[in-house]
Amino acid sequence: LAQAQRLHWPRCHRRARGHSTDRPSSSLPREKKVTMAAGGAPQFASLYVGDLSPDVTEAMLYEIFNSVGPVGSIRVCRDSVTRRSLGYGYVNFHSVSDAERALDTLNYSS
């Protein structure tokens, strides 16, 4: 856990309906289809987590982000050949409000 506290991800951005606030959509991996609730509001949200140390794992991110709210899934993006981290990932929450709380709480934290 001491190692997890030294992690650095200065950018977290909420993604819903397949849009990102930090990079053009052409450079993003394909997004899963967003399940919509009544009234057109998404039932879940994804956060882009950037500037990760190469040794950050999904388990480390889960421990940190799950303390804010229930996490649906986490993916650290990796090189398809070497399996080394590309320095960013996505944290998916079941609830948009939990994702917003994580963004408010953890954005620009280290």
Side-chain angles (χ1 to χ4, degrees):
L1 181 59
Q3 185 178 9
Q5 293 173 352
R6 292 191 312 248
L7 301 179
H8 180 66
W9 53 81
R11 294 177 295 165
C12 293
H13 298 282
R14 179 175 162 229
R15 295 178 64 191
R17 297 188 182 143
H19 297 287
S20 173
T21 58
D22 63 320
R23 297 191 309 180
S25 60
S26 62
S27 67
L28 293 172
R30 289 194 110 160
E31 190 68 20
K32 290 183 181 177
K33 187 175 180 180
V34 176
T35 305
M36 304 300 265
Q43 292 180 337
F44 70 89
S46 297
L47 296 182
Y48 168 84
V49 183
D51 294 332
L52 295 173
S53 172
D55 56 330
V56 172
T57 66
E58 285 86 352
M60 294 166 138
L61 293 177
Y62 180 85
E63 188 173 326
I64 292 163
F65 281 90
N66 200 54
S67 68
V68 177
V71 170
S73 64
I74 294 178
R75 177 173 181 154
V76 172
C77 296
R78 300 183 180 281
D79 181 275
S80 61
V81 175
T82 65
R83 305 305 301 155
R84 288 186 181 165
S85 172
L86 296 174
Y88 68 96
Y90 297 94
V91 178
N92 301 303
F93 286 90
H94 295 291
S95 161
V96 172
S97 61
D98 290 335
E100 289 173 344
R101 187 170 42 257
L103 187 61
D104 293 339
T105 305
L106 300 172
N107 200 23
Y108 294 100
S109 65
S110 47

